[in-house]
Amino acid sequence: MTSASALRPTFTGSERDAAAEGPAWYRTAAIYQIYPRSFADANGDGIGDLPGITSRLDALQQLGIDAIWLSPFMTSPQKDAGYDVADYCDVDPLFGTLGDFDEMLARAHERGIRVIVDLVPNHSSDQHPWFQAALAAAPGSPERARYMFRDGRGAHGELPPNNWQSVFGGHAWTRVTEADGTPGQWYLHLFDASQPDFDWANEDVREEFRRILRFWLDRGVDGFRVDVAHGLVKHDELPDYMPAEDADSMGGQETVPYWAQEGVHEIYRDWRRLLEEYDGDRALCAEAWLPTAAETALWVRPDEMHQAFNFPYLMADWDATQLRAVIDESLRAFGGVGAPTTWVLSNHDVIRHASRLALGADAPQGHGIGPLSAGKPDPVVGLRRARAATTLMLALPGSAYLYQGEELGLPEVIELPDDARQDPTWFRTQGERYGRDGCRVPIPWEADAPAFGFSETGSSWLPQPAEWAGLARDRQQDDSDSTLSLYRALLRLRRELALGASEDFAWIDGFPASTLAFRSGAVTVVANAGSAPVPLPEGARVLVASAPLEEDGSGSFALPRDTAVWLVRD
Ligand code: NOJ
Ligand code: CA
């Protein structure tokens, strides 16, 4: 058995002392991601909105989550589903008004649900007034200095300033036409051309984001999920860089001149100080795609952010050796800086885990899946593994992120028609990468209602598969074997047994190599990622299992393949 002390935090700063008084909420919270355009549509235009969220808060309370994180709902031309913000301090009319936001926040708080909003500081929309002013102004002007404008290479500036590629495919630079009609400078966009990168060396930008943070904190939000938190600062010299063919498009390595630059950390130290002026444990969560937990932990040192998504965990296969290694590394790395570990299996950028965990080896995870993809997942195996993986995850100490619809066992939608797709990745790669629309389809609430209850008019911005009737929330509500019932049981027990705060995590050896077994607080968790059934210890009581166990007729139980169980001793 691995000694538990090996996994305890090594940092002995104020963060640890504070934790000793009772953990701040974000250290243990189950946080549910709402992708507003696909959650619930109150006005019937086929796009989810803030009043829709308010109308469905009871369902989230019943589910048993502690907080919600909302993907962007701010003013935006929606070129990247709201991750292209034109006004950071207002609500896009598609989603409602600031009044609707205040109402949603108040109703969530009434139910004891905290609310985190998305902050997109790496880039704005090209429709942001600052970028429009920069286009109208001359090279070298203060307006241009808020973004990354550079002269081109070549005799006439006709070549981009360097060879950087957009995460969504194609060049990361676009040339502008100057006010006099001549071809002019280039601007950097690590994502779509409609998402120009800010220059974070510019004090105007820093001051503007302080204002934006205060705007939402003053309205009462509990924190921020910070988009592309590893990307704000670029290497001074903007050196050429080409990612390896097989590199994950969102991934980062130390040598990438636009990810994980040392200077980025000072920004979060500044924000941390700002948040600490407010009461109530407001939190910052980093979206930083870095290859290891050890690198990710640099974003949550005691004077920086409070949480970071654990993407190395999300990227692990359904494989006991990989999972054990990433769990160990995560507890060690985040614990080492006194931060809570987070766990996550799905979000709006990756293939839903009910499909991803059964992908064939030849299907590249980063590119989405569609009708012509190789290695399409078996839906039955995928759902079985997803249920087991979530059962395993929700017993781990720390905070866990859930993505809307995973509690219904929704798979990735593979058969979307080409003309329905909206992800800029699809357009920028001329359909070579399907992108992320398959995990963004509006979720089903009622099997027999138009658009499965998503929208009264039956309208839905992406088509919902007919078979989702069987996965609608109302069909699962009273079925004790449903995925929804499993999530509710896991979240209730996790809270009752305070598993998120457990400090005595320890592996249990003696099981086959394809099994994960550990003790955390009062529970023993066993997960079988192999193909043969695994005998369970005698005398233990099953609290919850992701699938029925096998009984041998003499009272002994075995754990079938792709199943996880929580056990207690009476
Ligand atoms: C990460 C977000 O999660 C993703 O949806 C978005 O496209 C990029 N950042 C760019 O903002
Ligand atoms: Ca709507």
Side-chain angles (χ1 to χ4, degrees), residues 449-472:
F452 305 130
F454 165 68
S455 173
E456 269 182 19
T457 56
S459 175
S460 169
W461 71 278
L462 283 173
Q464 300 162 299
E467 63 273 17
W468 277 17
L471 295 172

Side-chain angles (χ1 to χ4, degrees), residues 135-301:
L135 289 179
S141 60
E143 288 83 357
R144 289 231 168 151
R146 293 165 173 159
Y147 292 91
M148 304 285 291
F149 279 88
R150 295 290 183 278
D151 293 334
R153 293 196 280 202
H156 308 286
E158 71 280 13
L159 299 172
N162 68 25
N163 68 350
W164 292 0
Q165 301 291 300
S166 154
V167 171
F168 294 155
H171 263 299
W173 295 92
T174 290
R175 195 172 195 187
V176 302
T177 303
E178 300 298 354
D180 64 3
T182 57
Q185 287 193 299
W186 299 71
Y187 67 89
L188 176 69
H189 50 87
L190 290 181
F191 295 89
D192 190 52
S194 62
Q195 295 167 294
D197 281 49
F198 283 115
D199 186 346
W200 273 88
N202 186 318
E203 184 53 31
D204 280 4
V205 174
R206 293 186 185 232
E207 192 50 36
E208 176 64 359
F209 273 87
R210 289 184 199 112
R211 184 182 77 84
I212 294 164
L213 286 166
R214 288 189 191 285
F215 177 85
W216 293 104
L217 289 166
D218 289 341
R219 289 201 108 77
V221 303
D222 298 286
F224 302 89
R225 173 267 190 192
V226 180
D227 191 62
V228 200
H230 56 323
L232 277 53
V233 172
K234 280 77 181 175
H235 189 294
D236 283 347
E237 289 155 22
L238 306 183
D240 275 347
Y241 171 77
M242 189 59 78
E245 272 287 297
D246 58 352
D248 177 346
S249 59
M250 301 282 257
Q253 300 145 23
E254 256 169 89
T255 53
V256 184
Y258 41 84
W259 299 143
Q261 298 294 300
E262 182 51 35
V264 84
H265 297 286
E266 185 43 41
I267 299 168
Y268 305 130
R269 292 190 187 105
D270 182 41
W271 291 5
R272 173 82 176 224
R273 288 190 291 270
L274 189 153
L275 258 69
E276 282 173 359
E277 294 171 24
Y278 287 79
D279 60 2
D281 290 329
R282 319 289 178 108
L284 295 164
C285 176
E287 190 234 11
W289 282 86
L290 297 157
T292 63
E295 285 152 277
T296 313
L298 298 175
W299 269 252
V300 288
R301 287 175 288 190

